[in-house]
């Protein structure tokens, strides 16, 4: 490998491992404190940390295979693509459910603990995985039905290589766009609803205003998810550039649109939380003994 390629690998792996470590530290904090383990909001946040870390690591593995021009069996590739697609769709769904939980906390404060129970939160997480996996599982079963030997051959692993018909990719892209639009509309509706509740004289305005800011943050996180849709478009444009610029532009495209959004999204959300932030900073500074 050339020095440029080695530098790219070091930058991407270093960034991914550093932010995965931060996510792991946040997850440890959430798991070690009963206050967090029993709160549906923090359960959903812990799910976000795990989901985004798995998606990030899967993306990095596929990138390294592509960088080394390595092939793998289509069966292994299909499993990696399956995990990548499901974890990608889980993130916006998770944001929508957290926004809904904040809406319930503001709109029905006396019934919040009754409505947002641990059991219902676990059911919501299970439904996320089910909804996110339906399309890709149908594609896999459709492929097996048409060609039972399709998954035995080695392949350069990409999403496109797992499809037989061109319309499958078109349908998948449109479903992803519609999926993100629906989630954006849900979060926008919740934001408007919480804003109206905040103007009511009978509500806790401070809590409502904090919830509004939280939902706005979820909208920003959703925008980070949407940036990944631009990756393929920019990849096609980069392919038309001069040969000397192709490799650095391809690296920047991958790093800025696929790696950084997954690294920053959970970190921004976690560090903003007033309950997690002081504990996280003390653990990060290797000084947990001062915690109360």
């Amino acid at each position: 490998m050339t020095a440029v390629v080695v530098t790219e690998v070091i930058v991407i792996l270093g960034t991914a491992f550093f932010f995965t470590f931060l996510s792991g530290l946040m997850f440890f904090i959430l798991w070690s404190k009963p206050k967090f383990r029993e709160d549906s909001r923090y359960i959903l946040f812990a799910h976000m940390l795990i989901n985004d870390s798995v998606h990030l690591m899967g993306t990095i593995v596929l990138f390294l295979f592509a960088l080394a021009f390595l092939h793998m069996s289509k069966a292994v590739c299909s499993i990696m693509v399956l995990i990548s697609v499901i974890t990608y769709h889980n993130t916006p769904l998770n944001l929508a459910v957290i926004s809904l939980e904040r809406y319930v906390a503001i709109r029905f404060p006396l019934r919040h603990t009754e409505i947002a129970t641990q059991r219902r939160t676990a059911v919501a997480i299970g439904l996320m995985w089910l909804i996110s996996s339906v399309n890709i599982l149908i594609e896999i079963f459709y492929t097996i039905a048409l060609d039972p030997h399709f998954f035995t051959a080695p392949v350069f692993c990409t999403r496109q290589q797992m499809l037989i018909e061109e319309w499958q990719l078109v349908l998948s892209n449109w479903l992803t766009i519609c999926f993100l639009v629906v989630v954006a509309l849900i979060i926008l509706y919740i934001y408007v609803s919480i804003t109206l509740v905040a103007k009511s004289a009978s509500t806790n305005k401070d809590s409502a205003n904090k919830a509004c800011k939280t939902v706005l943050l979820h909208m920003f996180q959703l925008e980070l998810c949407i940036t990944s849709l631009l990756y393929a478009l920019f990849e096609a444009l980069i392919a038309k550039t001069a040969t000397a610029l192709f490799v650095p532009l391809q690296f920047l495209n991958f790093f800025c649109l696929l790696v950084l959004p997954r690294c920053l999204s959970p970190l921004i959300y976690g560090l903003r939380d007033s309950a997690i932030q002081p504990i996280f900073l003390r653990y990060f500074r290797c000084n947990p003994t001062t915690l109360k």
Side-chain angles (χ1 to χ4, degrees), residues 61-248:
V61 169
L62 290 177
F63 170 78
L64 293 178
F65 270 85
L67 203 62
F69 297 100
L70 296 178
H71 289 64
M72 66 178 70
S73 70
K74 288 185 178 180
V76 176
C77 181
S78 64
I79 294 174
M80 299 193 66
V81 170
L82 174 68
I83 295 173
S84 177
V85 171
I86 293 176
T87 51
Y88 173 79
H89 288 108
N90 274 346
T91 298
L93 278 177
N94 207 90
L95 294 174
V97 175
I98 297 179
S99 299
L100 183 60
E101 186 274 337
R102 287 293 84 200
Y103 172 76
V104 172
I106 298 303
R107 187 69 178 82
F108 309 103
L110 299 180
R111 297 184 57 199
H112 174 246
T113 55
E114 177 187 344
I115 296 173
T117 62
Q118 290 180 334
R119 182 177 179 276
R120 289 179 177 174
T121 304
V123 171
I125 292 174
L127 288 175
M128 288 183 215
W129 283 83
L130 178 62
I131 294 171
S132 299
S133 62
V134 168
N135 182 48
I136 184 68
L137 286 177
I138 290 176
E139 289 179 359
I140 291 175
F141 288 131
Y142 176 80
T143 302
I144 293 175
L146 289 184
D147 185 2
H149 304 290
F150 178 80
F151 292 100
T152 59
V155 68
F156 186 74
C157 190
T158 63
R159 175 82 168 87
Q160 291 79 2
Q161 293 293 336
M162 293 296 100
L163 304 175
I164 293 180
E165 307 289 346
E166 185 177 351
W167 62 265
Q168 290 178 280
L169 181 61
V170 176
L171 177 62
S172 177
N173 290 336
W174 275 107
L175 286 175
T176 300
I177 293 173
C178 293
F179 177 82
L180 292 172
V181 169
V182 170
V183 171
L185 291 175
I186 291 173
I187 295 178
L188 181 61
Y189 170 78
I190 292 173
Y191 173 75
V192 173
S193 300
I194 293 178
T195 303
L196 295 176
V197 171
K199 294 180 180 179
S200 173
S202 60
T203 190
N204 187 331
K205 293 186 181 296
D206 290 338
S207 297
N209 288 331
K210 288 180 180 179
C212 287
K213 293 178 181 178
T214 299
V215 176
L216 275 180
L217 179 61
H218 294 165
M219 187 65 74
F220 172 71
Q221 290 176 282
L222 183 63
E223 291 176 1
L224 291 178
C225 295
I226 294 175
T227 57
S228 61
L229 295 177
L230 302 175
Y231 173 77
L233 174 62
F234 287 147
E235 188 79 358
L237 294 176
I238 291 171
K240 300 178 182 179
T241 61
T243 306
L245 296 175
F246 178 76
V247 174

Side-chain angles (χ1 to χ4, degrees), residues 1-2 4-10 12 60-70 156 247 250-251:
M1 292 191 293
T2 64
V4 175
V5 174
V6 172
T7 303
E8 292 177 356
V9 171
I10 292 174
I12 289 178
I60 297 299
V61 169
L62 290 177
F63 170 78
L64 293 178
F65 270 85
L67 203 62
F69 297 100
L70 296 178
F156 186 74
V247 174
Q250 188 182 41
F251 166 74

